[in-house]
Amino acid sequence: MKFTADVIISLKKGVIDPEGEATKKALNLLGFRNVNRVESMKIFRIELSAKTKEDAEDMLRDMCDRLLANPVIQDYSIRWVE
């Protein structure tokens, strides 16, 4: 079976986000003074073949642990795409 998921990579709480901070500052300078916080994230849409959804999720978690996310500073979540 084929499965599609979005893998969302974000910085852990407490880790400084220079890209998010720079974007917030730029938005404020453009007059969007009501913007209080901007967080940058990365999304990978991955389609894979597996016998079950559980097998697919195990593969995605392995991909995140081995390549897609830096476990020291990043968290990840998996969202299934219908």
Side-chain angles (χ1 to χ4, degrees):
M1 295 180 67
K2 287 188 180 180
F3 298 94
T4 303
D6 288 341
V7 176
I8 301 115
I9 310 294
S10 60
L11 291 171
K12 288 186 176 192
K13 191 171 186 117
V15 175
I16 296 172
D17 182 356
E19 184 178 9
E21 286 297 316
T23 302
K24 176 189 168 284
K25 184 177 180 180
L27 288 168
N28 289 162
L29 289 171
L30 288 171
F32 299 102
R33 302 205 190 288
N34 58 335
V35 175
N36 299 315
R37 185 175 180 190
V38 176
E39 294 180 47
S40 61
M41 295 180 197
K42 189 181 294 187
I43 299 176
F44 296 98
R45 178 157 288 175
I46 300 174
E47 182 182 296
L48 66 155
S49 298
K51 289 182 181 180
T52 66
K53 194 172 190 177
E54 291 77 22
D55 289 343
E57 185 166 346
D58 288 343
M59 284 188 267
L60 290 166
R61 291 190 183 286
D62 193 32
M63 290 175 200
C64 290
D65 293 339
R66 295 177 62 191
L67 176 69
L68 300 178
N70 178 342
V72 175
I73 62 168
Q74 294 174 319
D75 287 323
Y76 65 86
S77 61
I78 297 168
R79 182 177 45 199
W80 296 102
V81 177
E82 299 301 321

